[in-house]
Amino acid sequence: MSKFTIMPSKIFDQDLDPASIALYAFMCSQINDDGFVDATYAQMGEACGRSKAWVVENIKKLQSSKLVALEGRAKWVRILYDGQYSDLNGQPAERSLSSTIPIHTTTNPIKKERKKPNLSLPDNFTPTNENM
């Protein structure tokens, strides 16, 4: 994690409480090479001393202010500068967001399907008073 990050001054012109600004600052410090926030919602909440639900609510506020964008079914978070997609230096990116979706990200990892346990009864099973 970098000690320094770039944040647009626009963040201070929004009607956001200090904790929301801290969330945004944390997200800016966690940008990966593809421009996505490389932290889970739970990690973001822990960094701000808030719940995952609070993070989700505040990301929606940041999204409506055009400070972040959500992409993909897994809702990857991307930081926007002046309402545009940008690189790590805050410079506008030429490429479209859909062409830059990473194959793997830790922002919201895809859950693996668990094997269902075999809960079937044997063919010769008969209920008794002990099994009931």
Side-chain angles (χ1 to χ4, degrees):
M1 177 168 83
S2 173
K3 288 173 115 179
F4 303 98
T5 188
I6 296 171
M7 285 182 21
S9 58
K10 173 182 174 178
I11 188 76
F12 301 105
D13 297 334
Q14 307 299 314
D15 188 24
L16 299 172
D17 61 89
S20 298
I21 295 171
L23 170 64
Y24 186 75
F26 177 77
M27 290 190 309
C28 288
S29 72
Q30 300 297 311
I31 299 174
N32 65 20
D33 291 340
D34 295 315
F36 292 94
V37 177
D38 198 18
T40 64
Y41 286 20
Q43 289 169 331
M44 291 181 218
E46 185 177 320
C48 297
R50 304 293 174 120
S51 68
K52 180 180 172 183
W54 178 88
V55 171
V56 171
E57 179 184 323
N58 279 275
I59 285 177
K60 288 178 186 175
K61 288 179 189 176
L62 294 170
Q63 184 181 18
S64 68
S65 297
K66 296 191 185 317
L67 292 165
V68 300
L70 298 179
E71 182 69 21
R73 288 179 32 206
K75 301 294 184 200
W76 294 298
V77 180
R78 182 183 273 252
I79 302 295
L80 301 178
Y81 293 91
D82 294 325
Q84 300 176 348
Y85 305 115
S86 62
D87 63 16
L88 289 173
N89 297 316
Q91 300 301 314
E94 299 279 329
R95 54 194 175 175
S96 68
L97 185 61
S98 60
S99 67
T100 61
I101 297 174
I103 294 172
H104 174 72
T105 181
T106 57
T107 303
N108 276 332
I110 298 171
K111 294 180 181 177
K112 294 181 182 177
E113 267 190 50
R114 289 190 273 166
K115 288 185 178 180
K116 294 182 180 179
N118 183 5
L119 300 176
S120 61
L121 297 173
D123 292 336
N124 61 353
F125 178 79
T126 55
T128 63
N129 287 337
E130 291 177 9
N131 318 47
M132 297 176 114

